[in-house]
Amino acid sequence: ASNEGGAAPSESASTLSGNLVGAGASSQDAAQQSWIAGFQTANPDVTVDYDPSGSGAGRETFLEGASNFAGSDRAFKDEELAAGGFKKCAADSTIVELPLYISPIAVIFNVEGVDSLDLDAATVAGIFAGTITNWNDPAIAATNPDATLPDLAITPVHRSDDSGTTENFTEYLGAAAADVWTWEADGVWPLEGGEAAQGTSGLVDAVSNGNGTIGYADASRAGDLGTVSIKVGDEFVPYSPEAAAAIVDHSPFAEGRAEGDLAIDIDRTSEEAGVYPIVLVSYLIACGQYEDPANVDLVKGYLSYIASPEGQDTAAADAGSAPISDSLREKITAAIDSIK
Amino acid sequence: MTSAPAPIKAKLRIGDLVFSRSAVFAGSMILVTLAAVAVFLIVQSIPAVVATTEDASILKTNFWDYVGPLVFGTVWAAALALLVALPISIGIALFISHYAPRRLASVLGYVVDLLAAVPSVVFGLWGIGVFAPALVDAYAWLNEYLGWIPLFSGTPSATGRTILTAALVLAVMVLPIMTAICREVFLQTPVLHEEAALALGATRWEMIRTAVLPFGRSGIISASVLGLGRALGETMAVAMVLSASPVITFQLLTSVNPNTIAANIALSFPEAYGLNVNVLIATGLILFVVTFAVNAFARWIVSRRKEFSGAN
Amino acid sequence: MSKRIEVRDLNVYYSKFLAVEGVNLAIEPRSVTAFIGPSGCGKSTFLRTLNRMHEVIPGARVEGEVLIDGNNLYDPDVDPVLVRRQVGMVFQRPNPFPTMSIKENVLAGVKLNNKRISKSDAEELVEKSLRGANLWNEVKDRLDRPGSGLSGGQQQRLCIARAIAVSPEVILMDEPCSALDPISTLAIEDLIEDLKQQYTIVIVTHNMQQASRVSDKTAFFNIAGTGKPGNLIEYDDTTTIFSNPSVQATEDYVSGRFG
Amino acid sequence: MSKRIEVRDLNVYYSKFLAVEGVNLAIEPRSVTAFIGPSGCGKSTFLRTLNRMHEVIPGARVEGEVLIDGNNLYDPDVDPVLVRRQVGMVFQRPNPFPTMSIKENVLAGVKLNNKRISKSDAEELVEKSLRGANLWNEVKDRLDRPGSGLSGGQQQRLCIARAIAVSPEVILMDEPCSALDPISTLAIEDLIEDLKQQYTIVIVTHNMQQASRVSDKTAFFNIAGTGKPGNLIEYDDTTTIFSNPSVQATEDYVSGRFG
Amino acid sequence: MTIQTTQAPETGVAIANSLTAGRLPKSAPWTILVAAIAVSAAVFAVVSFGSGSGYNWGGALFVGALLYIPAIWLFSTLVEGRRRAMDRLVTALVTGAFLLAMIPLVSLGITVVTLGAARFDADFFSMSMRNVTGEGGGIVHAIVGTLLMTGAAAVISIPIGLMTSIYLVEYGRGRLARGVTFLVDVMTGIPSIVAGLFAYSLFAIFLGPGTRTGIAGAVALSLLMIPVVVRSSEEMLRLVPNELREAAFALGVPKWLTIVKVVLPTSIAGITTGVMLSIARVIGETAPLLIAAGFTASVNYNLFDGRMQSLPVFVYTQYANQGNPPQAYLDRAWAAALTLILIVMALNLIARLVARFFAPKFGR
Ligand SMILES: Nc1ncnc2c1ncn2[C@@H]1O[C@H](COP(=O)(O)OP(=O)(O)OP(=O)(O)O)[C@@H](O)[C@H]1O
Ligand SMILES: Nc1ncnc2c1ncn2[C@@H]1O[C@H](COP(=O)(O)OP(=O)(O)OP(=O)(O)O)[C@@H](O)[C@H]1O
Ligand SMILES: [Mg+2]
Ligand SMILES: [Mg+2]
């Protein structure tokens, strides 16, 4: 293929070469592809492969030592960390978990003549729990006095597959509308019944092909569909990369983690101005210390590229993610540097 | 009588030996492979079968409650698909073998084979983007006028992505393979037998009924088994098209549909970890067993009237 | 119940190959007509045109007219199914339905016309037809066994039984006895004698003795050479053909007879 | 080149059904032996045991011995393939290979055994065999056409040509002429007469005249009733069988002859 | 001569030609079809007028065609009698079945061609996705992977499958044969994703955990392919008349040569069809390849080392993980789907030509 082969007389002084393998979250796939492209262009002798096989599969693969790094929509749980057994890592090594992919989750809908709605958490939860069933429901009308809401049944669409998006969305509903949403956060949609669709694409297709449908998806995929501004404090915040990055900055890191393990507990109920609470934080996971030092430079190089402003910006352009803030970047860079 | 008296006593024929041995070997390979797959499945499944919701987060209660609706959905979708596909594929095969003008027939056969060239992902894409939306109105109509039939009751789906749609997509997917086998078998009907029927004053249909269909019976069953196998195991298309929930329901037109085992594995596997992986593989074992049962049944039907089989 | 058959200027083609050319012939009702001639001269081909069975062979087609009781078989709106129901056929190679039992084979044609034949009627008909074909004694104990398990001769007699079970008005027989032993052959010949009281019968045979024994009239077909079409050389009373034919070729052929 | 065949206490079974019972018989080399008997009495079945062709039928098996030049055919280490190469066979129903042209059909015995044969030798062999089967003139212009496009009789002669092309030492013929016209039949009979100079020939026929014309010895088989096994009733010189048989059943059968 | 009524009730009607008795004229089916469509069109017109929605041509044609089936049966029963009517009904149904199957085919065809045409350009067939984001890029890597993996799967499956079917038809008796037959049936039921898992685990044993290679993908595909090959070839081999085997045996041809030179050539057309179907069956598989062969954006020619991309996985991931601009990803997905279909078509065509070359030389 004409674009293959590193023999391009590039001016890059890169000394990196070799093969780097990662696997995990498909949410990151588009971003990973653009990171890989950028990194490979800068280092023509490197090939990075990323399997978008899913977070669970990615974590399992990493555990088995079959990949150098993993992408995951959630950090490892405490008990999983305690069990250990990361085959690629040195015996007593901890792991590094970096929140490098932040993406707002948009609540999208398809109702003729309505482009955007202002809703509070309870209403969103009511819609998805099936207690609010018509678009002209007073609960919706209350916050949207200007919208012309049709007399049309609401068809909420959820993901049929196990997904980080669902987990983050249900976590938000459970935290912000605890009275209405009584289910635990879970990657599998906790209610029985309802319209379900596979993957972000399937869900977006189902919402756009239906009438009166509503769903939740990675914001970059909202397209022409109507989107919901979420009530935070007293104002309604539309999704935006900045607002998504902001909530991450306003959230604490998980406690009791090793140094370099930057798992974040997102504060879904934050009343801070300008934050958008429904976000998906996807991690890149690597060893704190590799058993085989051969890969260390490659991993560090690749992760540093991702964390760099350039890397975050290409992902923002290609995948619609939210670039991390400089303060977060500092912590991440420190963590990357600690990899041995 | 000058030639050697006993050339009849022979060496073992190398060709025969090699050939029959390799045939046996190939047959045994299948045994071995399948045994390996079975062992793999069983070993992986054992921890899952006894697991509870504490061990595997994917389980609500225990394994059997988890797999029940899936088995139902799998069999239900495949049965619906076969119900649609079998008569149609026999019809198409007959059309090509006995109705269409001869010149046209092979071209038409090729055209139907083309359907086999469509990868399941594309069926999925087409199912979501074209087919399901096209069915929304029809489903609404069915529900309105035939809603008193339990199958058509409930609230019709607003997106058309129901079990009926999935079954229809499956039917389209299994059509080419079933049609192709039926067609080849029908074409092989001995002309002598067709003539025998025609000479008795049979119409074309009666000729088909007396000579072609009985002759092709085992072929039709083979075709069904292959089609059913495909329908039972199809993964991507169903995963993409079906709006699935862990329920058991016979309603065909609503958003709430049972999932199939294969599709469920595809949906849950990417995020599965730990024992959840075993649970999913165990559902695969169950699918295996279901297929086993279905095939045993089909074989039994074929063997019942073996001596009347046309060929030998 | 029997029919008169008149053939006018009949040509039969296999695609472009002219297999039989310019046949003119009239077959009287309630008579037995024998077709004789060397192998490949088109006897079977011609016989099949009498009930439009040639249409089953891809590419086979006909020019000319075949009138049965004055009705042209090849009129555009004639239904070949109706034709074949009135003009039955027994083939050169026995062809019982392998998926059916002996009994079902005999009833195959009847069941088409009359689905709800009573059980006793059916059994009566099976026995009558099998007796007629001289097969009853051999198979009466295994009527429910597959028809394909019989010997060649038994199979052929089964096919004859099947054909007469539908009581057609004309029966075409293409070398029906070629696979039969003398006893069965005799039985079939007796049967032909019987059937002749009611039906019109046309039989193709290679057996001169058979032709002279059973037929009232004989048609001699010949072929000039390979790739040439077959022709009807002479058609006359059987006695005339065998004793005093008017064409030399006929004389040559029938006098080459043996046994 | 020819072989003596001796059969001792042969029983043939189809699974549990005893089809032929207790046959004892010796066939001399360079002779023609005819098997006659009513349909279903086991002539074909018995014939097939002479080159182990019955083994092809599932469930068919044999008890007893068949000695060819003193070698028992049924010895455990005998190769049936070699037996069949020495004992050729022509079947009751013509069975040319549909995938092959006429020429390839004739050469099948050579080609299928992966033997190399020069082009000119092949052509010579094809012509010789087809002439021997009296088919050459009819097909010489279409040797490359499929064998299945021939008439029934032509197909049978093609099969005979195919069988003699491999020059076996014994030729078994199961009603080879039942589909042939008198001229071809005569030609085959002449051919048998020729072949007899070198080969041992066994022929099953329903045609008494044929049996008496071509054979040196005749074996009469009969069957006591349905479901009973067939037996060899009498085996003697053909003239004796037809003029002065020692068993009443034989006399009944051959005297029922006609023509 | 008196025309007597025979037991067939339809024949006795006194019409000029008794053989035409009670037949619908030749043009009748077409007349009825046109009438049925006209009626349906009128009904649809009324409905569309009443509800104010657009006129549904497709629906009108479909319902019209549907209406034709009972109509022709009714007319034929009245005029021609039960048997003729049945024949006409079946003719209509059988033709209808064919036309019905054409609907998804045509719809799919139109969808794939119109959506796939957008990226059917030179770049698409000369580039891989290496270092490509957003627009542009190509599928060389996926084509290479698909051909290599499917080819390897075919090389594994066709001999095994064919030999197994030969074993079953020509040699197999008794328990082993029955066991194999049954297991082949069971094999048809291996879900594709399980095949992928199995191949992945198998190679993990030999090549170390987590290795994803083309050959693992090929093994997964063979698992799915073998039963289709066996089942279809078995069916075709059984159709070869025993007479032909006997003819060859009687010429002293050993069994294996009889099979190779008589049985296989006679059934070659059917076997080829079966093999093509099996290839078509697996060439479009996504799930097992995603697991066993992994995912890469670069070309890989080595089946035994490194991940391999394939067309269906490419289609799936382009669709499922769309980046910016989404349309570029969708265009690539559809164009790759179109390419895949064209590849299968081409293979099919080649196979048919091969089959025709060897096929029995008789009519039909
Ligand atoms: N299906 C066919 N396609 C093309 N040609 C055919 C076909 N059947 C027969 N023929 C040719 O037509 C001619 C007449 O064949 P036909 O079978 O009518 O001969 P026949 O007189 O019945 O011979 P026989 O006594 O051997 O049965 C022959 O030259 C034969 O090769
Ligand atoms: N494949 C078979 N399986 C079981 N029984 C068979 C089989 N073939 C023949 N038979 C039976 O064996 C007996 C002898 O049959 P065979 O074919 O040898 O008779 P035949 O003497 O050759 O008769 P014909 O003169 O009609 O050819 C018959 O009763 C027949 O029904
Ligand atoms: Mg003939
Ligand atoms: Mg016989």
Side-chain angles (χ1 to χ4, degrees):
Chain A
S2 57
N3 57 327
E4 295 258 339
S10 86
E11 70 290 0
S12 90
S14 166
T15 54
L16 286 177
S17 72
N19 218 335
L20 195 60
V21 171
S26 53
S27 55
Q28 293 183 22
D29 186 45
Q32 284 279 1
Q33 295 311 322
S34 75
W35 291 328
I36 289 171
F39 188 62
Q40 285 179 161
T41 311
N43 305 281
D45 292 336
V46 176
T47 296
V48 184
D49 286 324
Y50 180 78
D51 275 1
S53 52
S55 304
R59 289 195 303 275
E60 291 283 296
T61 313
F62 183 65
L63 253 169
E64 284 178 346
S67 61
N68 304 101
F69 67 92
S72 172
D73 290 344
R74 70 162 168 81
F76 275 99
K77 293 180 183 162
D78 290 336
E79 61 266 26
E80 289 166 342
L81 287 173
F86 297 93
K87 298 256 169 53
K88 263 266 156 44
C89 307
D92 53 352
S93 163
T94 56
I95 59 167
V96 174
E97 300 190 280
L98 310 169
L100 280 168
Y101 178 84
I102 298 168
S103 171
I105 296 171
V107 178
I108 51 177
F109 59 86
N110 185 9
V111 179
E112 226 176 89
V114 186
D115 292 335
S116 70
L117 286 173
D118 293 340
L119 296 176
D120 55 23
T123 313
V124 174
I127 289 173
F128 280 95
T131 51
I132 298 176
T133 56
N134 199 301
W135 284 107
N136 62 11
D137 194 281
I140 303 175
T143 48
N144 298 282
D146 302 335
T148 45
L149 294 166
D151 174 14
L152 177 66
I154 301 180
T155 306
V157 185
H158 61 263
R159 293 278 291 271
S160 60
D161 50 336
D162 191 342
S163 82
T165 312
T166 302
E167 187 160 7
N168 280 284
F169 184 63
T170 51
E171 187 182 308
Y172 163 74
L173 294 179
D179 315 338
V180 188
W181 194 263
T182 51
W183 296 274
E184 269 183 51
D186 194 349
V188 181
W189 190 249
L191 278 79
E192 239 173 53
E195 183 86 22
Q198 186 213 16
T200 304
S201 301
L203 189 138
V204 172
D205 280 352
V207 171
S208 11
N209 289 334
N211 189 15
T213 42
I214 183 168
Y216 53 93
D218 197 287
S220 65
R221 302 292 306 284
D224 298 333
L225 292 165
T227 55
V228 172
S229 299
I230 297 293
K231 187 171 190 192
V232 178
D234 291 329
E235 53 179 336
F236 292 93
V237 184
Y239 78 85
S240 70
E242 297 74 30
I247 185 88
V248 175
D249 281 339
H250 287 104
S251 300
F253 290 108
E255 284 165 21
R257 296 267 172 158
E259 202 180 322
D261 188 341
L262 304 181
I264 292 176
D265 270 342
I266 296 191
D267 180 10
R268 304 286 186 188
T269 49
S270 169
E271 307 239 312
E272 209 74 35
V275 303
Y276 183 78
I278 322 178
V279 295
L280 167 78
V281 175
S282 193
Y283 297 85
L284 273 99
I285 302 173
C287 291
Q289 182 180 355
Y290 280 88
E291 175 124 310
D292 176 5
N295 287 322
V296 174
D297 286 344
L298 268 180
V299 172
K300 284 169 94 165
Y302 185 54
L303 293 179
S304 306
Y305 172 76
I306 295 174
S308 71
E310 187 196 346
Q312 288 293 308
D313 288 344
T314 51
D318 290 338
S321 63
I324 54 173
S325 67
D326 290 336
S327 60
L328 183 55
R329 178 174 300 114
E330 252 169 55
K331 294 179 187 115
I332 288 176
T333 312
I336 294 173
D337 287 342
S338 74
I339 295 177
K340 298 193 276 281
Chain B
M1 288 269 263
T2 48
S3 59
I8 247 174
K9 283 216 169 38
K11 70 243 174 178
L12 260 177
R13 204 160 284 286
I14 294 294
D16 257 338
L17 199 68
V18 170
F19 201 78
S20 63
R21 285 285 155 80
S22 43
V24 175
F25 173 77
S28 320
M29 273 299 286
I30 290 189
L31 278 171
V32 171
T33 315
L34 217 69
V37 174
V39 167
F40 164 78
L41 284 175
I42 291 170
V43 166
Q44 297 275 322
S45 301
I46 288 171
V49 175
V50 297
T52 61
T53 181
E54 273 102 73
D55 315 314
S57 62
I58 206 172
L59 300 178
K60 289 262 153 54
T61 52
N62 63 32
F63 176 72
W64 300 110
D65 285 348
Y66 179 73
V67 81
L70 293 176
V71 170
F72 168 78
T74 308
V75 174
W76 180 226
L80 285 173
L82 206 67
L83 207 66
V84 175
L86 186 61
I88 294 185
S89 57
I90 292 178
I92 300 172
L94 283 176
F95 181 75
I96 292 171
S97 64
H98 287 86
Y99 284 84
R102 283 196 324 122
R103 265 167 214 284
L104 214 61
S106 69
V107 178
L108 296 183
Y110 182 72
V111 167
V112 176
D113 280 358
L114 277 186
L115 268 179
V118 181
S120 50
V121 186
V122 177
F123 273 112
L125 295 179
W126 173 77
I128 304 174
V130 180
F131 193 50
L135 289 174
V136 172
D137 287 343
Y139 287 172
W141 186 88
L142 273 180
N143 180 258
E144 193 174 335
Y145 295 101
L146 298 174
W148 48 272
I149 302 174
L151 287 179
F152 299 138
S153 60
T155 320
S157 164
T159 58
R161 298 163 54 260
T162 76
I163 189 110
L164 186 55
T165 310
L168 290 176
V169 170
L170 282 178
V172 177
M173 294 178 76
V174 301
L175 259 190
I177 195 156
M178 295 178 63
T179 304
I181 292 183
C182 291
R183 181 186 72 214
E184 293 298 331
V185 175
F186 293 162
L187 281 175
Q188 298 289 341
T189 313
V191 178
L192 278 177
H193 299 148
E194 294 181 10
E195 288 184 347
L198 288 176
L200 289 172
T203 59
R204 182 152 53 176
W205 160 240
E206 287 160 350
M207 181 269 282
I208 287 169
R209 217 186 53 206
T210 41
V212 179
L213 291 182
F215 179 81
R217 202 168 128 273
S218 101
I220 294 172
I221 291 177
S222 270
S224 312
V225 165
L226 275 182
L228 195 62
R230 175 101 206 246
L232 288 170
E234 175 53 39
T235 311
M236 271 311 174
V238 178
M240 290 169 80
V241 169
L242 187 62
S243 161
S245 301
V247 295
I248 294 184
T249 168
F250 284 101
Q251 294 180 342
L252 293 176
L253 307 179
T254 69
S255 300
V256 185
N257 304 289
N259 206 351
T260 74
I261 291 178
N264 180 63
I265 297 177
L267 290 175
S268 307
F269 191 78
E271 297 298 321
Y273 58 93
L275 214 52
N276 288 348
V277 177
N278 299 81
V279 169
L280 292 177
I281 293 179
T283 61
L285 179 65
I286 300 289
L287 176 52
F288 213 60
V289 174
V290 169
T291 318
F292 205 83
V294 168
N295 283 310
F297 183 66
R299 278 282 157 192
W300 177 72
I301 293 182
V302 178
S303 66
R304 259 190 332 164
R305 280 169 61 96
K306 198 172 198 138
E307 54 192 324
F308 288 91
S309 89
N312 291 315
Chain C
M1 274 279 264
S2 62
K3 300 262 171 170
R4 181 175 198 275
I5 304 174
E6 208 178 323
V7 180
R8 291 190 192 149
D9 292 327
L10 198 80
N11 297 334
V12 194
Y13 294 84
Y14 287 113
S15 301
K16 276 180 204 115
F17 172 57
L18 179 58
V20 178
E21 191 184 24
V23 177
N24 281 291
L25 184 97
I27 295 169
E28 293 307 318
R30 299 176 205 207
S31 73
V32 177
T33 305
F35 292 174
I36 59 171
S39 187
C41 67
K43 302 180 296 298
S44 301
T45 303
F46 175 62
L47 192 74
R48 291 167 75 98
T49 62
L50 298 184
N51 70 343
R52 297 184 63 167
M53 276 304 288
H54 70 282
E55 290 174 3
V56 176
I57 299 165
R61 73 206 149 75
V62 149
E63 284 167 4
E65 285 187 343
V66 176
L67 306 178
I68 294 200
D69 276 354
N71 299 315
N72 185 5
L73 232 56
Y74 290 98
D75 256 1
D77 50 356
V78 162
D79 181 359
V81 172
L82 284 187
V83 173
R84 293 180 199 136
R85 220 172 291 163
Q86 297 177 24
V87 186
M89 186 156 192
V90 175
F91 294 84
Q92 194 164 357
R93 277 169 49 158
N95 52 1
F97 297 117
T99 48
M100 297 184 186
S101 68
I102 293 173
K103 189 168 159 185
E104 286 165 344
N105 258 294
V106 176
L107 291 176
V110 185
K111 285 261 174 78
L112 295 179
N113 266 320
N114 185 358
K115 280 221 183 78
R116 257 169 281 286
I117 184 168
S118 81
K119 215 171 162 221
S120 61
D121 280 0
E123 267 164 23
E124 205 171 292
L125 183 62
V126 168
E127 178 167 350
K128 193 178 125 225
S129 310
L130 285 174
R131 274 193 200 283
N134 195 30
L135 188 62
W136 175 249
N137 283 324
E138 282 158 71
V139 299
K140 63 170 178 255
D141 300 324
R142 44 174 171 170
L143 291 176
D144 292 320
R145 307 283 308 142
S148 48
L150 298 176
S151 78
Q154 289 168 332
Q155 288 190 17
Q156 184 62 303
R157 282 176 284 159
L158 179 59
C159 293
I160 293 176
R162 183 176 64 187
I164 59 180
V166 295
S167 11
E169 302 175 29
V170 179
I171 303 181
L172 310 177
M173 296 183 169
D174 194 348
E175 304 185 35
C177 301
S178 70
L180 300 196
D181 64 76
I183 299 169
S184 315
T185 305
L186 213 50
I188 300 289
E189 287 179 9
D190 286 348
L191 176 70
I192 291 173
E193 203 67 30
D194 280 358
L195 294 174
K196 176 177 140 179
Q197 310 307 318
Q198 287 180 49
Y199 306 120
T200 309
I201 292 172
V202 182
I203 179 170
V204 174
T205 180
H206 281 310
N207 189 321
M208 299 302 128
Q209 291 67 46
Q210 185 168 65
S212 61
R213 267 197 312 273
V214 301
S215 70
D216 304 310
K217 291 198 136 198
T218 298
F220 172 60
F221 289 79
N222 206 352
I223 185 170
T226 325
K228 302 262 169 56
N231 292 97
L232 173 59
I233 304 295
E234 193 170 356
Y235 176 53
D236 214 329
D237 285 344
T238 299
T239 44
T240 316
I241 291 277
F242 280 92
S243 57
N244 189 19
S246 54
V247 183
Q248 183 59 36
T250 316
E251 172 133 31
D252 289 351
Y253 188 79
V254 298
S255 65
R257 77 194 204 203
F258 37 93
Chain D
M1 274 280 263
S2 62
K3 302 261 169 170
R4 180 173 198 276
I5 304 174
E6 208 178 322
V7 180
R8 290 190 192 149
D9 292 328
L10 198 79
N11 295 335
V12 194
Y13 293 83
Y14 287 113
S15 301
K16 276 181 205 112
F17 172 58
L18 178 59
V20 178
E21 190 184 25
V23 177
N24 281 291
L25 182 100
I27 295 170
E28 295 305 320
R30 299 179 204 205
S31 72
V32 178
T33 305
F35 291 175
I36 59 172
S39 188
C41 68
K43 301 180 299 297
S44 302
T45 303
F46 175 62
L47 193 75
R48 291 167 76 98
T49 62
L50 299 184
N51 69 344
R52 298 183 61 166
M53 278 302 290
H54 70 281
E55 291 174 4
V56 175
I57 299 165
R61 73 205 149 76
V62 148
E63 285 167 4
E65 285 187 344
V66 175
L67 305 179
I68 293 200
D69 274 355
N71 299 312
N72 184 6
L73 230 58
Y74 290 97
D75 254 2
D77 52 351
V78 164
D79 180 359
V81 171
L82 285 187
V83 171
R84 291 179 199 138
R85 219 171 283 169
Q86 295 177 22
V87 185
M89 185 155 192
V90 175
F91 295 84
Q92 193 164 358
R93 274 164 51 157
N95 50 3
F97 297 116
T99 42
M100 300 182 186
S101 68
I102 291 173
K103 188 168 158 186
E104 286 165 340
N105 257 295
V106 176
L107 292 175
V110 180
K111 286 270 174 71
L112 289 181
N113 276 313
N114 272 342
K115 286 202 196 113
R116 281 195 202 295
I117 181 166
S118 79
K119 216 173 160 212
S120 62
D121 279 2
E123 268 164 23
E124 205 171 291
L125 182 61
V126 169
E127 180 169 350
K128 192 176 126 230
S129 311
L130 284 174
R131 273 193 201 284
N134 195 28
L135 188 61
W136 175 250
N137 284 324
E138 282 158 70
V139 300
K140 64 170 177 251
D141 301 324
R142 44 172 171 170
L143 291 176
D144 292 320
R145 307 279 310 139
S148 45
L150 298 175
S151 79
Q154 290 167 330
Q155 288 190 17
Q156 184 62 303
R157 281 176 285 158
L158 180 60
C159 292
I160 293 175
R162 182 175 67 186
I164 59 179
V166 294
S167 13
E169 301 174 28
V170 179
I171 302 180
L172 310 176
M173 296 183 169
D174 193 347
E175 304 185 36
C177 301
S178 68
L180 300 196
D181 63 77
I183 298 170
S184 314
T185 305
L186 213 48
I188 299 291
E189 288 180 7
D190 287 348
L191 175 71
I192 292 174
E193 204 67 29
D194 282 358
L195 295 174
K196 176 178 141 179
Q197 309 307 316
Q198 288 179 50
Y199 307 121
T200 309
I201 293 170
V202 183
I203 179 170
V204 174
T205 179
H206 280 311
N207 188 322
M208 299 301 129
Q209 291 67 47
Q210 187 170 60
S212 61
R213 264 195 315 271
V214 302
S215 70
D216 303 310
K217 290 198 138 194
T218 296
F220 171 61
F221 289 80
N222 206 351
I223 185 170
T226 325
K228 301 261 168 58
N231 292 98
L232 173 60
I233 303 297
E234 192 169 357
Y235 177 51
D236 214 328
D237 286 343
T238 299
T239 43
T240 317
I241 292 277
F242 279 93
S243 57
N244 191 18
S246 55
V247 182
Q248 183 59 37
T250 316
E251 171 134 31
D252 289 351
Y253 188 77
V254 297
S255 65
R257 78 194 206 203
F258 38 93
Chain E
M1 176 146 306
T2 55
I3 299 174
Q4 281 183 312
T5 316
T6 67
Q7 88 277 24
E10 300 95 319
T11 53
V13 188
I15 298 183
N17 186 339
S18 73
L19 297 169
T20 63
R23 278 204 89 188
L24 284 175
K26 271 251 160 63
S27 58
W30 294 107
T31 318
I32 294 173
L33 179 63
V34 169
I37 290 177
V39 167
S40 146
V43 170
F44 267 75
V46 169
V47 169
S48 98
F49 188 73
S51 67
S53 54
Y55 193 74
N56 187 345
W57 276 109
L61 270 178
F62 185 79
V63 172
L66 219 57
L67 212 60
Y68 167 78
I69 294 172
I72 185 79
W73 180 77
L74 192 69
F75 276 98
S76 181
T77 312
L78 293 178
V79 181
E80 302 178 314
R82 183 176 52 79
R83 292 178 56 193
R84 262 274 144 199
M86 196 61 198
D87 192 48
R88 289 210 186 259
L89 177 66
V90 173
T91 307
L93 285 176
V94 159
T95 316
F98 181 78
L99 294 178
L100 193 64
M102 287 302 102
I103 295 175
L105 184 66
V106 169
S107 164
L108 259 163
I110 291 175
T111 311
V112 177
V113 170
T114 50
L115 295 178
R119 271 309 312 276
F120 226 63
D121 51 39
D123 266 1
F124 198 64
F125 297 101
S126 62
M127 289 175 76
S128 67
M129 286 301 288
R130 191 181 166 89
N131 298 352
V132 174
T133 58
E135 286 167 354
I139 52 164
V140 175
H141 60 313
I143 293 179
V144 168
T146 283
L147 291 182
L148 281 178
M149 286 191 285
T150 314
V155 167
I156 299 170
S157 319
I158 294 173
I160 292 187
L162 205 54
M163 287 309 282
T164 304
S165 57
I166 287 173
Y167 167 74
L168 290 176
V169 177
E170 307 288 342
Y171 292 96
R173 308 230 183 282
R175 264 207 211 136
L176 181 62
R178 248 175 294 143
V180 170
T181 312
F182 191 66
L183 291 181
V184 167
D185 289 351
V186 174
M187 229 174 153
T188 60
I190 298 182
S192 53
I193 196 159
V194 169
L197 283 170
F198 171 74
Y200 169 73
S201 312
L202 186 73
F203 279 83
I205 296 172
F206 297 123
L207 304 177
T211 38
R212 295 188 154 84
T213 54
I215 191 71
V219 167
L221 294 186
S222 334
L223 234 49
L224 303 171
M225 200 171 163
I226 288 174
V228 184
V229 178
V230 177
R231 258 300 198 166
S232 52
S233 322
E234 187 192 344
E235 215 45 63
M236 300 310 148
L237 291 178
R238 279 198 201 287
L239 293 177
V240 176
N242 266 350
E243 289 183 354
L244 296 182
R245 294 187 181 91
E246 292 189 353
F249 291 150
L251 290 169
V253 180
K255 190 159 186 169
W256 73 281
L257 280 173
T258 305
I259 295 169
V260 172
K261 296 199 166 179
V262 176
V263 178
L264 288 180
T266 310
S267 52
I268 189 80
I271 291 178
T272 319
T273 308
V275 166
M276 281 325 299
L277 282 170
S278 70
I279 289 181
R281 161 81 173 84
V282 299
I283 203 170
E285 275 299 340
T286 316
L289 292 183
L290 206 50
I291 291 171
F295 179 94
T296 177
S298 311
V299 179
N300 177 8
Y301 289 102
N302 189 345
L303 273 172
F304 298 91
D305 185 36
R307 283 133 200 275
M308 232 178 213
Q309 181 67 295
S310 61
L311 283 168
V313 171
F314 180 84
V315 173
Y316 179 68
T317 50
Q318 289 294 311
Y319 166 75
N321 308 325
Q322 294 164 26
N324 244 337
Q327 197 54 45
Y329 287 74
L330 282 177
D331 286 346
R332 277 197 292 265
W334 285 109
L338 179 57
T339 311
L340 183 52
I341 293 175
L342 289 178
I343 288 177
V344 181
M345 273 173 69
L347 288 176
N348 223 321
L349 211 63
I350 294 170
R352 274 176 181 255
L353 291 179
V354 171
R356 178 163 305 171
F357 183 75
F358 287 109
K361 304 190 172 48
F362 45 51
R364 269 215 300 217

